[in-house]
């Protein structure tokens, strides 16, 4: 089958190499995927507590040792953070009061719902889902005021060197980077939260590793790999085309879906030409592939929770950035790691180590298929238990309950704070 990649002729600098590419595509079958909506999973209490012990407790350890904290410092941290970098859309105050949610930094006190003029998608979706869940009576949250950081957190707003006096609640942070682990308390992002399982029969799937996404890069890997543009999303998309041109595109199907900054003027490039842009592919269609690539964004990508809801094996790029649930994940139990890898004898491997990982997976698929199916089952089971909208709000409840305990003055502070807002004209029930 011959397919033509529509190259974006954007910018005269881009090398125009509009060559027809011989794709080694296996004929894709016409069966569509099955979507199975998920409900509320009845998790054993002990299993939930153990999930909190692995993920939430490590975030609280530092703060419990520093408690009692002062509630007024939450407002001071908001001011200090915005003074350092003015990003109010992703650095918002959230007030939970009598089981309702308010945004005290909303420029218009009479319009409760965040929108993109002053707030992030993450806040908008968090608000919509939370309002529904609170109104339904299924969810109760304790009163609290917190700084909600929905930035990708690449600037590391709570790195130990910032010596923060109170925690912010963030959707992403890093572990193990220079200067030590970030001190944020993680909470789930509520933006990309599917609530269905997607399946396609394993024996009908394509035997290639799939990715479609924006060309985000973390800028962490230049030194390690010796390229100015060292980045998994770019390089794997390049390898896909390189192999197709050589007539052996049998391993990868990775591509970018938006124009990205091509590192034209950089002397040490790993990607020699501007990559073509491909259409987006809806998530259910990802199940047509046995192997799904989970690649870093600017920091952590919120896609992992989604990939765990397909009956495919997740190939996970090693990365220091985490979301709230990563610390319960185990390599070769929930996913297969690659990138920043070393050979058995300790020699560092290159940015193309994914080929070796795939070869091993294919061997297992032939010789011990149940090993792979067990991994898929583990990943799916994990998502059903801990990554649904219900589980995510349950996690918020646990975090807020513990967060309040850090501030013995919190209730008294909130009474004053709410009185102050009401005096300014805010309607607070
Ligand atoms: C921080 O507080 C100072 C002093 O009250 C104020 O002048 C400044 O505008 C505040 N900055 C932000 C970003 O809120
Ligand atoms: C967006 O939010 C601002 C501030 O709350 C409000 O004034 C504005 O009307 C909102 N815009 C839309 C389109 O809802
Ligand atoms: C395709 O061929 C190139 C050049 O020999 C090689 O580097 C690459 O690993 C091959 N790809 C696959 C999927 O075999
Ligand atoms: C790459 O892996 C090594 C361990 O092999 C680790 O020490 C290092 O921190 C990793 N690099 C990044 C940027 O995570």
């Amino acid at each position: 089958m011959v397919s033509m990649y529509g190259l974006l002729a954007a910018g005269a600098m881009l090398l125009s190499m509009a060559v027809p590419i011989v794709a080694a595509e296996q004929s894709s079958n016409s069966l569509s995927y099955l979507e199975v909506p998920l409900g509320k999973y009845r998790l054993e209490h002990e299993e939930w507590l153990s999930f909190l012990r692995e993920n939430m407790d490590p975030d609280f350890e530092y703060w419990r040792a520093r408690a009692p904290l002062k509630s007024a410092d939450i407002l001071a941290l908001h001011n200090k953070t915005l003074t350092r970098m003015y990003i109010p859309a992703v650095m918002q105050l959230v007030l939970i009061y009598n089981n309702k949610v308010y945004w005290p930094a909303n420029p218009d006190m009479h319009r409760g719902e965040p929108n993109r003029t002053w707030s992030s998608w993450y806040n908008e979706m968090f608000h919509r889902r939370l309002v529904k869940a609170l109104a339904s009576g299924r969810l109760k949250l304790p009163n609290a005021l917190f700084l909600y950081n929905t930035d990708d957190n690449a600037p590391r707003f709570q790195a130990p060197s910032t010596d923060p006096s109170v925690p912010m609640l963030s959707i992403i942070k890093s572990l193990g980077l220079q200067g030590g682990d970030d001190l944020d308390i993680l909470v789930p992002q509520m933006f990309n939260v599917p609530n269905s399982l997607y399946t396609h029969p394993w024996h009908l799937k394509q035997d290639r590793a799939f990715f479609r996404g924006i060309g985000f890069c973390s800028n962490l890997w230049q030194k390690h790999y010796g390229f100015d543009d060292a980045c998994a999303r770019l390089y794997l998309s390049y390898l896909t085309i390189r192999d197709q041109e050589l007539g052996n595109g049998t391993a990868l199907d990775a591509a970018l879906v938006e124009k990205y900054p091509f590192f034209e003027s950089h002397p040490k490039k790993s990607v020699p030409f501007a990559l073509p842009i491909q259409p987006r592919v809806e998530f259910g269609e990802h199940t047509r592939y046995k192997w799904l690539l989970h690649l870093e964004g600017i920091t952590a990508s919120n896609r992992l929770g989604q990939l765990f809801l397909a009956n495919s094996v997740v190939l996970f790029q090693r990365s220091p950035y985490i979301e709230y649930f990563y610390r319960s994940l185990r390599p070769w139990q929930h996913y297969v790691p690659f990138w920043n890898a070393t050979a058995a004898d300790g020699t560092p491997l290159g940015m193309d180590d994914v080929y070796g990982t795939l070869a091993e997976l294919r061997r297992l698929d032939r010789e011990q298929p149940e090993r792979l199916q067990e991994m898929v089952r583990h990943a799916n089971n994990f998502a059903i238990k801990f990554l649904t909208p219900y589980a995510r709000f349950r996690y918020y409840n646990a975090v807020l309950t513990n967060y309040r305990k850090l501030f013995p003055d919190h209730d008294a502070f909130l009474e004053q704070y709410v009185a102050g807002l009401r005096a300014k004209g805010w309607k607070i029930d």
Side-chain angles (χ1 to χ4, degrees), residues 242-243 246 248-252 355:
R242 185 202 66 180
D243 288 356
L246 292 170
N248 67 348
T250 55
L252 300 173
Y355 290 121

Side-chain angles (χ1 to χ4, degrees), residues 309-372:
L309 285 167
N311 70 326
S312 303
V313 171
V314 175
L315 271 73
F316 182 107
Q317 179 196 356
R318 288 193 186 85
S319 167
Y321 301 105
I322 64 165
E323 290 186 82
Y324 75 106
F325 59 92
Y326 282 31
R327 285 162 286 191
S328 290
L329 302 177
R330 303 288 173 264
W332 292 97
Q333 185 181 341
H334 300 95
Y335 65 85
V336 176
F338 71 101
W339 193 265
N340 193 21
T342 46
D345 67 0
T347 4
L349 298 178
M351 289 198 289
D352 58 359
D353 68 312
V354 68
Y355 290 121
T357 309
L358 256 182
E360 172 62 6
L361 286 171
R362 285 168 167 172
R363 186 188 67 77
L364 286 171
D365 198 21
R366 286 189 306 271
E367 297 174 10
Q368 286 173 263
E370 70 284 357
R371 265 246 13 236
L372 295 182

Side-chain angles (χ1 to χ4, degrees), residues 220-221 320 340:
L220 271 185
W221 306 103
N340 193 21

Side-chain angles (χ1 to χ4, degrees), residues 202-239:
W202 182 263
H203 63 287
L204 297 180
K205 286 176 191 264
Q206 292 204 41
D207 186 10
R208 286 192 293 164
F210 186 77
F211 173 80
R212 289 291 180 278
I214 299 174
F216 292 130
C217 298
S218 70
N219 296 318
L220 271 185
W221 306 103
Q222 285 96 333
K223 233 181 161 168
H224 182 77
Y225 287 119
F227 293 108
D228 294 331
D229 60 355
C231 170
R233 290 187 178 206
L234 306 190
Y235 195 62
L236 268 52
S237 299
Y238 160 66
L239 290 180

Side-chain angles (χ1 to χ4, degrees), residues 345-404:
D345 67 0
T347 4
L349 298 178
M351 289 198 289
D352 58 359
D353 68 312
V354 68
Y355 290 121
T357 309
L358 256 182
E360 172 62 6
L361 286 171
R362 285 168 167 172
R363 186 188 67 77
L364 286 171
D365 198 21
R366 286 189 306 271
E367 297 174 10
Q368 286 173 263
E370 70 284 357
R371 265 246 13 236
L372 295 182
Q373 297 310 315
E374 181 67 357
M375 192 153 33
V376 169
R377 196 187 67 88
H378 262 123
N380 290 168
N381 224 353
F382 186 86
I384 291 167
K385 287 176 178 174
F386 302 114
L387 308 182
T388 59
Y390 172 76
R392 283 167 192 256
F393 277 133
R394 194 173 177 192
Y395 196 88
Y396 270 93
N397 191 15
V399 165
L400 290 179
T401 302
N402 285 281
Y403 171 84
R404 279 169 47 86

Side-chain angles (χ1 to χ4, degrees), residues 107 115-119:
N115 66 43
R116 294 299 306 287
T117 64
W118 58 276
S119 190

Side-chain angles (χ1 to χ4, degrees), residues 78-79 82-83 86:
H78 183 230
N79 181 297
L82 290 184
T83 304
Y86 194 66

